[in-house]
């Protein structure tokens, strides 16, 4: 069991993006998370395949693309061509989710599905066998720097139970939104394997190196609690 740290470039300095990606990797990032927003599914517009390609060119680490867009099928190929290793779509944005997930895999990427805070994680039960990653949103998507929604810890525990019940030990559970040195431990104890963090990495008062060190320490403490069987107990 290991925890992967996935800094979100949404909070990085775009003027020196490659450098910011490399700094994060050098100081403990395992994946790089790319937040794609279309101004329709979420009330913000961010980046597309071109910037994803620039991230791909900056690192050989897993490029984790989170599509917060309507009708994502139209762009799957463009993001895989740009270098995405993992492509995650939102359950709430897909009418034919099974088809979308198969398509991501056909294109050669790992397939993830995200659920917003108000979507029961159990709605993924019939697709979980086809997933490489399940993403539990711990804020309402659209912006970096929001507060972790406390109920997310129980949702992570339920998502972990769902993956275990369906025999999906190899699939990863990711959490995204408001993850920092104070919230990471609970998320990992409840079952998270991949921690996305934007502002807590790129806008930490103590700087990026110290931010990643604290995040790693919190993740390790959470893992020790999970191993000790304490999980989401008491929350
Ligand atoms: C939220 C995005 C997140 C966000 C995380 O809409 O999907 O990845 O950038 O930012 P922080 O870590 O600042 O909450
Ligand atoms: Zn994200």
């Amino acid at each position: 069991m290991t925890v992967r740290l996935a800094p979100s470039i949404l909070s990085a300095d775009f003027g020196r993006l490659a450098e910011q990606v490399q700094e994060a990797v050098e100081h403990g990032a395992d994946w790089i998370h790319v937040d794609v927003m279309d101004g329709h599914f979420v009330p913000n517009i961010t980046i597309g395949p071109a910037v994803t390609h620039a991230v791909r060119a900056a690192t050989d680490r897993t490029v984790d693309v989170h599509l917060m867009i309507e009708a994502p099928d139209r762009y799957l190929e463009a993001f895989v061509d740009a270098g995405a290793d993992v492509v995650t779509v939102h359950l709430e944005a897909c009418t034919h989710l099974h088809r979308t997930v198969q398509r991501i895999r056909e294109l050669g990427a790992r397939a993830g599905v995200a659920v917003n805070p108000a979507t029961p994680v159990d709605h993924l039960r019939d697709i979980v066998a086809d997933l490489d990653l399940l993403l539990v949103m711990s804020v309402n998507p659209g912006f970096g720097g929001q507060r972790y929604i406390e109920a997310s810890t129980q949702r992570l525990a339920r998502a972990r139970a769902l993956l275990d019940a369906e025999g999906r030990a190899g699939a990863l559970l990711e959490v995204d939104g408001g993850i920092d040195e104070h919230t990471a431990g609970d998320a990992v104890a409840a079952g998270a394997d991949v921690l996305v963090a934007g502002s807590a990495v790129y806008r930490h008062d103590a700087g990026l190196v110290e931010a990643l060190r604290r995040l790693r320490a919190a993740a390790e403490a959470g893992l020790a609690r999970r191993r000790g069987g304490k999980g989401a107990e008491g929350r």
Side-chain angles (χ1 to χ4, degrees):
M1 240 193 272
T2 66
V3 176
R4 293 161 183 81
L5 302 184
S8 164
I9 59 156
L10 189 59
S11 299
D13 175 355
F14 277 39
R16 41 187 207 96
L17 184 58
E19 207 179 304
Q20 291 256 276
V21 166
Q22 286 155 4
E23 272 171 27
V25 168
E26 192 180 327
H27 295 287
D30 301 290
W31 290 11
I32 298 295
H33 186 81
V34 177
D35 283 309
V36 178
M37 306 187 188
D38 66 351
H40 292 276
F41 181 68
V42 289
N44 193 6
I45 301 177
T46 56
I47 63 184
V51 173
T52 304
H53 187 261
V55 172
R56 167 78 293 154
T59 183
D60 56 7
R61 295 304 171 96
T62 295
V63 174
D64 177 33
V65 172
H66 178 193
L67 297 180
M68 288 160 277
I69 65 176
E70 283 179 3
D73 302 48
R74 295 175 296 170
Y75 296 103
L76 299 176
E77 196 167 351
F79 282 100
V80 174
D81 284 352
D85 298 300
V86 179
V87 176
T88 296
V89 295
H90 268 262
L91 171 64
E92 301 86 358
C94 296
T95 308
H96 302 289
L97 183 63
H98 185 271
R99 179 186 292 154
T100 303
V101 163
Q102 303 309 324
R103 182 71 186 134
I104 294 169
R105 288 179 142 187
E106 274 168 24
L107 289 166
R110 283 185 270 168
V113 175
V115 281
N116 282 335
T119 302
V121 295
D122 285 341
H123 285 187
L124 291 171
R125 183 172 301 280
D126 293 345
I127 190 83
V128 108
D130 296 292
L131 298 186
D132 300 299
L133 181 144
L134 196 164
L135 169 52
V136 171
M137 289 306 301
S138 39
V139 297
N140 290 292
F143 303 95
Q146 303 182 79
R147 258 177 97 87
Y148 180 83
I149 297 171
E150 284 296 329
S152 308
T153 306
Q154 276 301 343
R155 289 166 52 73
L156 285 164
R158 281 202 291 276
R160 170 54 57 196
L162 178 62
L163 290 172
D164 290 350
E166 300 295 321
R168 297 294 294 135
L172 295 170
L173 180 58
E174 183 173 46
V175 61
D176 184 2
I179 294 295
D180 60 19
E181 64 213 66
H182 307 293
T183 54
D186 282 349
V188 171
D193 305 303
V194 185
L195 299 177
V196 177
S199 49
V201 170
Y202 285 111
R203 301 197 183 180
H204 199 292
D205 289 342
L208 176 142
V209 176
E210 176 63 12
L212 281 164
R213 194 195 64 75
R214 291 188 196 177
L215 207 51
R216 177 67 69 191
E220 289 303 324
L223 207 49
R225 277 166 62 198
R226 198 202 302 182
R227 288 201 183 101
K230 295 196 190 98
E233 204 176 78
R235 300 197 67 85

